[in-house]
Each structure stands twice: as structure tokens, then as C-alpha cells.
Amino acid sequence: MTGSYGFRLAAVALVAVVAAVGILTYGNPAAPGSPGFWVIVRSRFSSVGTILVVAFCQGVATVVFHTVTHNRILTPSILGFDAMYRVIQTGLVFLFGAGTLAATDGLGKIALQSLVMVGAASLLYGWLFTGTRADLHLLLLVGVVLGMGFGSLSTFMQRLLTPSEFDILSARLFGNISVSDASYLPWGALVCVAVGTVLWRRRHVLDVVALGRETATSLGVRHQREVLLTLVLVAVLISVSTSMVGPMTFFGFVVAMLTYQVVGTSRHARTLPMVVAVACATLLLAYFVLRHLFYAAGLVSVIIELGGGLVFLVHLLRKGLR
């Protein structure tokens, strides 16, 4: 780690720490150090913990997804995870009523949603990456088609809901950090540690995979197996993030683009730590500003997605499709 890279990583991490401390302590009506002060700090800790888990999942998943697809305008959402989340939530309301959403909230529902998403993704990857069908572009095309199919099915069911059911459902279909339950954090953090450890140990292999199938194969890397493993790990991370706070389509893209600009290299030994720091700093700072200055904590993901969409369009117009 060079001094310049270490300084930039430390600076971004410092921004994240300052924003986290601001979220925990700013505007606390109790006297500093009093029992009431710490009660409020602990109540806010769930939001900070959720942000850290979501930032890690979205940032790391997007960077390694760019590596295996060799394309930096794609995001894991192209595989249909957001649409799958929407069809699950809409199906629950359509079949069992709006009260089902609240009645089934809990760690079991989160784990089941994640297992469904990862299981579907693993079946899809396993089917498309066996034999002569091993084609990443075919996988992406199938993901787009499935996403469109899930979206159409969700829209059809939503049109049959009552206005009150639709309002309740709409609130669930936007990413919202404030509604996440603190009991989910240990489970989410455990998944992040496990997946992060696997990816970090394989960071040099990912550098070789980024060179392309022919080059990686000639250097002794089993390209197909590495791509399949990475896509499954991406599915795990995105399913955890989506299950905890809902869909976030462009957040990973924005923090990945910022990371590439800050780091100036595609080596995963540098991009992975930096993308975690950038994602945490971005989300923590946005949450602090919107919660404490504009009193709009529930709009964090909405504004980030709006800004991320604009950044995506500008990048697409300036850089093209790669």
C-alpha cells in the first residue's frame, strides 16, 4: 500500500467515521454522558449498522460484478434481483393481503427471501454455465428477460390491489434504511464477513479474471469456475442488501465509479477496501444530511437512486457502453 493510496483510504474512512458519529450524537436532546443520552445513541446504532452492511454489500458486489462481466456500466440489478424482490412482496399482498407484510416481518422472512434469491440465481448460473452454454452474455440476457417478466407480473398484480393495499406495498418497494430491524444486523454482518473473506483471499485471482477468459485460462486460472463462484457471491450480497432495505439499483454503480476515480487502478487489493470506505462514507453522509438537516431520512435511498440514475446517464453518454 503506497502512502498516497493509504492517505486517500484514511481520508475517506475518516469522513465515514465523522458522519457515523454525527448520526449517533447530533441533535441528542439528553445531556451528554447521561443514561438517556446513551439510550438514544443505542437506538440510532441500528441505522448506522444497517448502512455499513448495505454499503459493504452494494459496493463490493458491484466491483466484482464489473470484473467478471468486463463492463463497468452494468450493475447486479441486471440479473433481476430487484424485480424478484418486488414480485415476492407484491405476491404476498396479492395472495394474503397487506397485513401479511407486517405479520411476516422478522429474521425468518429475511433469510427466506435471501435463500429464494440466491437459490434462483444459483440454479440459473449452474444451468447456463454448464457444458457448451457457458456464455456470460447469455446469462445477462436471461437476467434482463427475467427482470422484465417479474416486473410485468408485479405490475399486473398491483393493478388488482385496493388503493390502501397499494399504498402499503409502495412503501415497501422503495429502499428505506429507517425501517430495517436491528435484529437483522448480526446475520447481515456475518454474511458480509464470510463473503468478504472469500473475495479478499481471491483478490489476485480476480485480477487475472479481469484480463479476460483466454488470458486467464492461459495463466492457469479456471475462468468459468471463478466467474460462477463470483456471481453466486454477488447474489448473496445483493440478496442480503435487498432483503434488509429494499432495492437500490444505482447506489453500487455510483460508489464503484467514485472508487475507480479515487484509486486509479483495477487491482482488487486496492479497489475492494476503497469501495467499502467510499460506500460507507457516501451513505452515512447522505443519511446524516437528510435526517438531521432536512428531516427526510426516509428519502435517502430515493435521492441516491435519483442522483445515481443521472450519473449513470452522464457516464453512458460520455463513455459509451463500456
Side-chain angles (χ1 to χ4, degrees):
M1 180 182 294
T2 65
S4 177
Y5 173 78
F7 175 78
R8 282 175 284 179
L9 181 61
V12 177
L14 180 61
V15 173
V17 171
V18 171
V21 173
I23 292 172
L24 294 174
T25 60
Y26 184 82
N28 193 327
S34 66
F37 179 86
W38 293 113
V39 168
I40 294 175
V41 168
R42 283 195 293 272
S43 69
R44 295 177 177 179
F45 184 77
S46 62
S47 298
V48 174
T50 301
I51 289 171
L52 296 180
V53 170
V54 171
F56 181 93
C57 291
Q58 292 284 341
V60 171
T62 304
V63 166
V64 296
F65 188 74
H66 287 169
T67 298
V68 297
T69 58
H70 309 293
N71 193 314
R72 290 185 174 181
I73 69 168
L74 296 177
T75 68
S77 63
I78 198 172
L79 298 178
F81 288 109
D82 296 352
M84 189 182 296
Y85 174 82
R86 289 189 177 92
V87 81
I88 291 174
Q89 299 294 323
T90 306
L92 284 175
V93 177
F94 179 77
L95 295 174
F96 306 108
T100 308
L101 291 179
T104 57
D105 277 346
L107 185 58
K109 180 182 176 183
I110 296 292
L112 181 60
Q113 284 183 166
S114 299
L115 287 175
V116 169
M117 293 182 189
V118 175
S122 299
L123 287 175
L124 181 63
Y125 300 159
W127 174 58
L128 291 175
F129 271 80
T130 56
T132 59
R133 293 188 296 268
D135 188 343
L136 188 60
H137 294 92
L138 177 62
L139 171 65
L140 297 177
L141 179 61
V142 171
V144 171
V145 172
L146 287 178
M148 294 173 64
F150 288 145
S152 298
L153 180 60
S154 300
T155 302
F156 171 74
M157 290 190 290
Q158 288 169 14
R159 289 182 179 277
L160 299 179
L161 299 178
T162 64
S164 59
E165 289 176 331
F166 182 77
D167 287 342
I168 295 173
L169 175 65
S170 298
R172 291 297 185 99
L173 297 184
F174 289 99
N176 192 344
I177 295 169
S178 301
V179 302
S180 183
D181 194 315
S183 63
Y184 305 159
L185 289 178
W187 171 79
L190 182 63
V191 173
C192 289
V193 170
V195 174
T197 301
V198 173
L199 290 174
W200 181 252
R201 290 173 63 88
R202 310 187 75 78
R203 60 191 184 280
H204 301 306
V205 177
L206 289 171
D207 290 340
V208 179
V209 170
L211 299 176
R213 174 183 295 181
E214 290 76 14
T215 304
T217 303
S218 66
L219 292 174
V221 172
R222 298 174 63 183
H223 182 270
Q224 183 174 323
R225 190 192 69 169
E226 295 300 331
V227 171
L228 179 60
L229 173 62
T230 304
L231 288 176
V232 171
L233 295 178
V234 168
V236 172
L237 292 175
I238 295 300
S239 66
V240 169
S241 172
T242 305
S243 297
M244 290 184 69
V245 302
M248 297 185 78
T249 304
F250 292 110
F251 175 68
F253 170 80
V254 171
V255 296
M257 289 298 107
L258 287 173
T259 298
Y260 299 141
Q261 295 296 320
V262 173
V263 174
T265 176
S266 58
R267 289 174 53 198
H268 292 81
R270 297 195 172 188
T271 55
L272 290 178
M274 184 63 80
V275 77
V276 173
V278 169
C280 291
T282 303
L283 204 51
L284 286 167
L285 199 57
Y287 188 79
F288 172 78
V289 170
L290 289 176
R291 172 169 179 163
H292 293 298
L293 301 185
F294 296 99
Y295 305 102
L299 297 178
V300 172
S301 60
V302 177
I303 292 177
I304 286 179
E305 291 299 281
L306 176 61
L310 294 175
V311 172
F312 177 81
L313 290 175
V314 171
H315 179 83
L316 195 62
L317 292 173
R318 293 184 60 189
K319 303 290 185 180
L321 297 177
R322 300 192 65 85

